[in-house]
Amino acid sequence: MSERGIQWFRFTAPANFYDLAGRLIPWFAALTVALFGVGLYMGLVVAPSDYQQGDSYRIIYIHVPTAWMGMFLYVLMAVYAAIGLIWRIKIAEIMAKSIAPTGALFTFLALWTGALWGRPTWGVFWVWDARLTSMLLLLFLYLGYMALHAAIDDRQRASNASAVLAMVGVVNVPIIYFSVHWWNTLHQGASITVTEAPTMAMIMFVTLMIMVLAAWMYSIAVVLARARVELLERERTAHWVRERLEGERG
Amino acid sequence: MADREFRAVALAAERGDRRLFDDIDFTLSPGQLLQVSGRNGCGKTSLLRILSGLSRPVAGQVYWGDEPIQSVDGGTGSCLGYLGHQNALKEDLTAEENILIAGGLGGGRPDREAVLAMLASLGLAGYEDLPVRYLSQGQKRRVALARLLLQPRALLILDEPYAALDVQVIDVLRSAIEAHLERKGMIVITTHQAVDIDGDCHKLQLG
Amino acid sequence: MFRPLLALLRRDLTLALRRPQDALTVVGFFVVVVALFPLGIGPDPEFLRSLAPGVLWVAALLAVMLSLERLFSDDYRDGTLEQMLLVPEPLGLLVLTKIFAHWLITGLPLVLISPLLAVQLNLRPDEILILMAALLLGTPILSLIGAIGAALTLGLRGGGVLIALLILPLYAPPLILGAGAVDAVMHGASAQAHLSLLGAMMVFALFATPWATAAAVRIMLD
């Protein structure tokens, strides 16, 4: 970070964001590695086996955090998109766009781990369980958002249009969830519902929370990094970008 | 006709990453005409779309009187009429139907006699009952002009209204424009041709 | 207030009457898709009967979705949609009127032809009645939600495929409720809960979606 960079820091919000994100990313990345390391060690070695499912249950340490992040990031994305659309704040638009791939990745991982978990538990890779089905629809919503963003050439229009879609989607997520849940209970005979162990040992709970935190830290680091690149691209004609790039080169 | 000024303050527009124009200011009073000129691709159409409230400018604001154009009572459509590159005609409807429906959509109670008279004055007598898809480009343009002129709007925004018109029709259009200015209407126009219009005319050069 | 809306409704219906093939294509698609299912899964009447609610609903949903691409695109191409933004009338109401016209042209015929297909799939009269009621409540929801997708893909290359990706996940609730209603009657239960929820969903969609669609139209024409 050059001296000139610090001067610009005071004047322009995008530059401010760019510098701040640049400084924060290494910390979040380090936390991610540390928490994942501790969480995986506790989950795979320290935590005891489940008395019913044996060792296969350990996949919840990945499955549950990814599923939570997938859902939460969609809401967060819609909130940023709405802020960007209503108040025309560029950083919010960029954040919404940057969150989408990470959210989709987590949702996909949740589905993947769910399928892997299903094989030893139910004997099949996929059951039309209410939660898995909702996650699948959520993945489609993410893909639709990203596809629409990519299909529109004009950046501003792409941001605005996909923001409308994200807001429509976030209103629909609870409706989808409840209708799928209802559908599932009505067809109870045909499927099996996922039920976690009614009482969770303390060590399992702590491990789970560490993994959730790790997923958080990862999301923040990756989303900020992606937003930084996107910001550079959008503002490439601005003075502060030239200042930064020359500073980094020299 | 118009009782307020039409103002643009510090307008700027972008296409992709390119600034089309910056700091466009003007004030148009009742009875005045503004001719916007400039090379191809310098943003004439973008400017007209911003003035009509269809697009949002990157910076600046358009005012109708003291109100921003987006918040005019009853929408922008209550004060201005816009003729873009497209004629906005339904190919399957006749010229007469097109105009009557557009009038109804605008909230008016269109008068059939007036429509036929306007079409005749633009040299379209005998073509009223033909679906628009059988008309030539120039004739379609005339139907679109007839529709615009029949709507009582204080401000007319015309994007290349002379395109594809022949000489007689240009004369008719010019006298319609002059009559509109005399009634204290306002006009913003882009055109490639030099047109001599009697009235209070101003020029805006882009690019 | 309502005169402009009536003018728009009359315009869209007139245009549809002058080109009836557009509406007929949608109905034809519905019929053909349903006719293809027995070829794929076998002619066993009992089995077909058990699949009928889902088959009919998925076919109706796809038919509505296919027809949606045309909802705004014709008006977009010839510039009349642009002029609609300049009409002194809330865009949300204009959009709602267009959706209503579109439903009359494409959604209603699907409801009317569905008994014929239901008979082919061995549904009983009381089940057919519920099927029609569910479609009557459900197809407007499909049109209302789909209009958002149609507006968001205006002027895009490959818009039709994109609409499918944007809209189909949102169609899950009406599909579950609509097919579920028929299913419930087939299993001797009451379809009232399903139909009430469908009705509630339609009312919600009726008030909420036109504004989202109007916002999308403004954005895509900006």
Side-chain angles (χ1 to χ4, degrees):
Chain A
M1 235 36 79
S2 67
E3 281 300 306
R4 278 182 301 174
I6 307 262
Q7 276 175 10
W8 277 105
F9 171 93
R10 295 188 196 123
F11 296 117
T12 39
N16 185 352
F17 174 87
Y18 181 81
D19 289 346
L20 190 66
R23 254 173 251 160
L24 290 177
I25 288 168
W27 292 99
F28 284 112
L31 276 172
T32 306
V33 174
L35 286 169
F36 262 128
V38 173
L40 284 179
Y41 177 74
M42 286 176 72
L44 296 178
V45 181
V46 180
S49 306
D50 186 77
Y51 71 100
Q52 269 185 325
Q53 299 186 26
D55 280 331
S56 69
Y57 92 95
R58 290 179 196 274
I59 205 160
I60 64 162
Y61 297 126
I62 304 285
H63 178 72
V64 172
T66 50
W68 283 359
M69 273 329 273
M71 284 188 275
F72 183 77
L73 284 179
Y74 193 87
V75 177
L76 194 65
M77 179 180 88
V79 169
Y80 272 120
I83 292 173
L85 182 65
I86 297 166
W87 289 289
R88 306 188 89 187
I89 296 172
K90 208 178 259 184
I91 298 288
E93 290 170 0
I94 289 171
M95 283 300 281
K97 190 192 174 188
S98 306
I99 287 172
T102 305
L105 176 73
F106 274 124
T107 310
F108 178 74
L109 282 177
L111 287 171
W112 185 277
T113 52
L116 287 183
W117 193 9
R119 182 68 181 156
T121 316
W122 307 310
V124 284
F125 280 113
W126 183 266
V127 289
W128 290 93
D129 158 73
R131 270 177 248 179
L132 279 181
T133 310
S134 314
M135 286 310 275
L136 185 63
L137 291 172
L138 185 66
L139 181 63
F140 292 155
L141 290 181
Y142 272 120
L143 294 180
Y145 177 90
M146 289 192 285
L148 183 64
H149 218 300
I152 305 175
D153 294 328
D154 184 86
R155 279 213 184 85
Q156 190 59 52
R157 191 181 297 166
S159 292
N160 293 346
S162 43
V164 170
L165 185 68
M167 288 158 74
V168 171
V170 87
V171 172
N172 265 280
V173 163
I175 301 178
I176 290 175
Y177 182 79
F178 283 117
S179 58
V180 168
H181 206 79
W182 198 51
W183 160 76
N184 197 250
T185 49
L186 285 179
H187 295 76
Q188 193 60 264
S191 75
I192 312 143
T193 37
V194 187
T195 41
E196 281 145 32
T199 49
M200 199 182 244
M202 193 59 193
I203 179 77
M204 292 183 183
F205 181 75
V206 170
T207 310
L208 196 56
M209 285 306 119
I210 290 174
M211 290 303 282
V212 169
L213 259 183
W216 266 100
M217 295 304 122
Y218 168 81
S219 304
I220 295 174
V222 169
V223 168
L224 283 182
R226 203 178 283 124
R228 246 176 138 229
V229 174
E230 177 74 19
L231 189 63
L232 276 188
E233 207 179 319
R234 280 212 201 188
E235 298 263 292
R236 63 173 169 272
T237 50
H239 282 292
W240 69 266
V241 172
R242 226 163 292 157
E243 300 269 339
R244 294 296 185 288
L245 294 183
E246 275 164 17
E248 274 169 31
R249 209 179 300 146
Chain B
M1 196 170 194
D3 52 354
R4 316 173 195 200
E5 289 179 336
F6 180 63
R7 282 187 302 137
V9 179
L11 292 182
E14 278 174 356
R15 185 181 299 139
D17 277 336
R18 206 163 58 85
R19 264 292 146 120
L20 289 170
F21 48 77
D22 255 323
D23 277 326
I24 299 284
D25 290 281
F26 67 80
T27 302
L28 208 58
S29 306
Q32 289 184 327
L33 175 143
L34 181 73
Q35 187 188 341
V36 181
S37 52
R39 301 168 279 107
N40 281 333
C42 68
K44 294 192 293 271
T45 296
S46 299
L47 176 63
L48 260 55
R49 288 179 62 87
I50 289 171
L51 293 180
S52 61
L54 285 170
S55 304
R56 290 211 276 186
V58 173
Q61 181 61 272
V62 182
Y63 293 95
W64 177 249
D66 296 322
E67 293 167 287
I69 192 93
Q70 293 87 2
S71 50
V72 174
D73 227 14
T76 46
S78 59
C79 54
L80 61 84
Y82 171 76
L83 177 67
H85 284 294
Q86 291 162 317
N87 293 322
L89 300 172
K90 283 293 171 201
E91 301 258 294
D92 288 337
L93 300 178
T94 68
E96 187 195 330
E97 284 171 326
N98 262 300
I99 295 174
L100 286 175
I101 287 171
L105 252 176
R109 215 184 272 261
D111 172 23
R112 194 163 169 275
E113 294 303 312
V115 172
L116 294 180
M118 177 61 79
L119 283 174
S121 79
L122 288 169
L124 287 170
Y127 292 93
E128 302 93 344
D129 295 335
L130 227 53
V132 165
R133 68 166 166 274
Y134 297 121
L135 301 183
S136 73
Q137 278 309 316
Q139 287 170 321
K140 286 179 191 168
R141 198 66 179 161
R142 279 185 257 170
V143 177
L145 278 170
R147 183 192 61 221
L148 187 74
L149 295 174
L150 279 165
Q151 291 174 345
R153 301 280 189 261
L155 169 65
L156 297 182
I157 296 181
L158 309 172
D159 198 355
E160 298 290 345
Y162 295 106
L165 292 188
D166 45 29
V167 184
Q168 297 93 316
V169 185
I170 288 183
D171 281 337
V172 175
L173 179 57
R174 185 167 56 209
S175 54
I177 288 176
E178 283 166 359
H180 186 72
L181 294 178
E182 249 164 56
R183 287 196 305 268
K184 292 293 170 203
M186 292 182 270
I187 289 175
V188 179
I189 191 171
T190 63
T191 169
H192 279 104
Q193 288 107 320
V195 276
D196 46 334
I197 288 167
D198 279 337
D200 192 357
C201 297
H202 300 258
K203 284 201 171 174
L204 179 68
Q205 181 76 32
L206 284 185
Chain C
M1 174 105 172
F2 291 108
R3 187 189 309 281
L5 301 182
L6 275 177
L8 182 59
L9 182 64
R10 198 174 310 134
R11 187 201 76 159
D12 276 12
L13 294 181
T14 311
L15 285 171
L17 286 180
R18 295 208 181 153
R19 281 185 184 274
Q21 62 269 37
D22 288 353
L24 292 176
T25 314
V26 177
V27 177
F29 176 85
F30 182 50
V31 174
V32 171
V33 168
V34 173
L36 280 179
F37 268 92
L39 300 181
I41 54 188
D44 174 34
E46 266 315 298
F47 189 47
L48 281 179
R49 203 176 110 75
S50 67
L51 289 181
V55 168
L56 287 167
W57 260 89
V58 169
L61 186 146
L62 291 176
V64 170
M65 194 202 74
L66 277 185
S67 72
L68 278 168
E69 203 191 337
R70 302 280 303 275
L71 176 57
F72 296 117
S73 65
D74 287 350
D75 285 354
Y76 174 77
R77 227 169 289 138
D78 62 24
T80 39
L81 192 59
E82 192 173 80
Q83 289 293 333
M84 256 176 245
L85 298 191
L86 296 171
V87 161
E89 191 79 12
L91 186 58
L93 287 180
L94 293 171
V95 162
L96 184 60
T97 309
K98 275 194 76 66
I99 296 171
F100 178 59
H102 183 263
W103 178 78
L104 283 180
I105 298 157
T106 57
L108 193 56
L110 296 185
V111 180
L112 296 178
I113 197 126
S114 62
L116 205 64
L117 304 176
V119 167
Q120 281 190 312
L121 297 177
N122 303 308
L123 286 188
R124 282 195 306 267
D126 55 327
E127 294 156 4
I128 293 178
L129 224 62
I130 294 294
L131 173 75
M132 288 184 76
L135 280 173
L136 201 61
L137 289 170
T139 43
I141 305 177
L142 300 180
S143 295
L144 285 163
I145 297 177
I148 303 174
L152 286 174
T153 51
L154 273 176
L156 300 184
R157 267 172 286 116
V161 185
L162 194 55
I163 288 186
L165 184 59
L166 303 188
I167 289 309
L168 287 182
L170 303 179
Y171 277 179
L175 171 65
I176 288 170
L177 292 171
V182 187
D183 218 46
V185 178
M186 283 170 67
H187 291 94
S190 159
Q192 203 188 352
H194 293 83
L195 293 181
S196 314
L197 280 172
L198 259 186
M201 205 177 278
M202 188 181 84
V203 172
F204 178 65
L206 206 55
F207 284 103
T209 59
W211 307 108
T213 308
V217 168
R218 273 190 207 285
I219 288 166
M220 296 313 281
L221 288 182
D222 191 339

